[in-house]
Amino acid sequence: MAIAAADAADRCDQLTVLTERLTELIAAQAQAFEQRRPQDAAALLEESSRLANLYRHESTRVRADPSLVESAPLAARTKLIRATEAFDAVLARQGRAIEAARIVTEGLVKCIAEEVAVQRTQASAYGSTGVQTSTVAPTAITLNQRA
């Protein structure tokens, strides 16, 4: 079934608007992580998740059936391609910001766990038999390489 050029152009325009809006949201989230304000990124999570699901669905449809957009004017397809390239760049930026936040968070957790372990093991005393005994119950902190 052939898709009319007007339908393909409309689909391209809608996908472009969706991609541009999603790019704005992801850029704002990346900026929030870069500024160490993850709570600001969290405020955008609902809308960005909804739009990301829609984007995933629509891009899967177009990948499966390129005729949905191929009869659109070259200008509309080019605009969609440019919007997609910008989206990919913003996703890479957000990935770097999230990875940096993860590394910092894991470092903090490790430092806190090590300090708690040191504080708990310092409390020891000599018992009536003259042997040093710990007066602290075993620690409940588990420390591995990832938070």
Side-chain angles (χ1 to χ4, degrees), residues 62-86:
V62 170
R63 242 187 320 271
D65 185 6
S67 69
L68 293 172
V69 294
E70 66 188 11
S71 62
L74 179 61
R77 287 183 287 139
T78 301
K79 188 174 179 182
L80 177 58
I81 290 168
R82 298 292 176 253
T84 303
E85 290 169 346

Side-chain angles (χ1 to χ4, degrees), residues 11-123:
R11 183 175 308 276
C12 274
D13 290 344
Q14 289 177 14
L15 286 171
T16 300
V17 169
L18 171 64
T19 305
E20 288 172 344
R21 178 63 183 143
L22 192 52
T23 300
E24 290 171 10
L25 289 170
I26 300 297
Q29 288 178 322
Q31 184 177 20
F33 280 113
E34 291 164 354
Q35 295 174 347
R36 295 170 182 80
R37 298 188 51 80
Q39 67 276 14
D40 293 348
L44 303 171
L45 188 60
E46 185 178 335
E47 183 180 5
S48 61
S49 293
R50 183 179 57 78
L51 292 180
N53 283 331
L54 182 59
Y55 178 85
R56 180 187 52 79
H57 176 74
E58 291 300 321
S59 62
T60 300
R61 285 182 62 201
V62 170
R63 242 187 320 271
D65 185 6
S67 69
L68 293 172
V69 294
E70 66 188 11
S71 62
L74 179 61
R77 287 183 287 139
T78 301
K79 188 174 179 182
L80 177 58
I81 290 168
R82 298 292 176 253
T84 303
E85 290 169 346
F87 178 63
D88 288 342
V90 168
L91 282 178
R93 176 183 168 200
Q94 184 192 39
R96 289 188 301 273
I98 289 173
E99 178 65 11
R102 183 192 63 79
I103 290 169
V104 169
T105 300
E106 287 178 1
L108 287 171
V109 169
K110 183 177 179 184
C111 287
I112 291 168
E114 288 172 352
E115 183 60 28
V116 168
V118 166
Q119 294 295 323
R120 287 185 175 179
T121 59
Q122 288 179 352

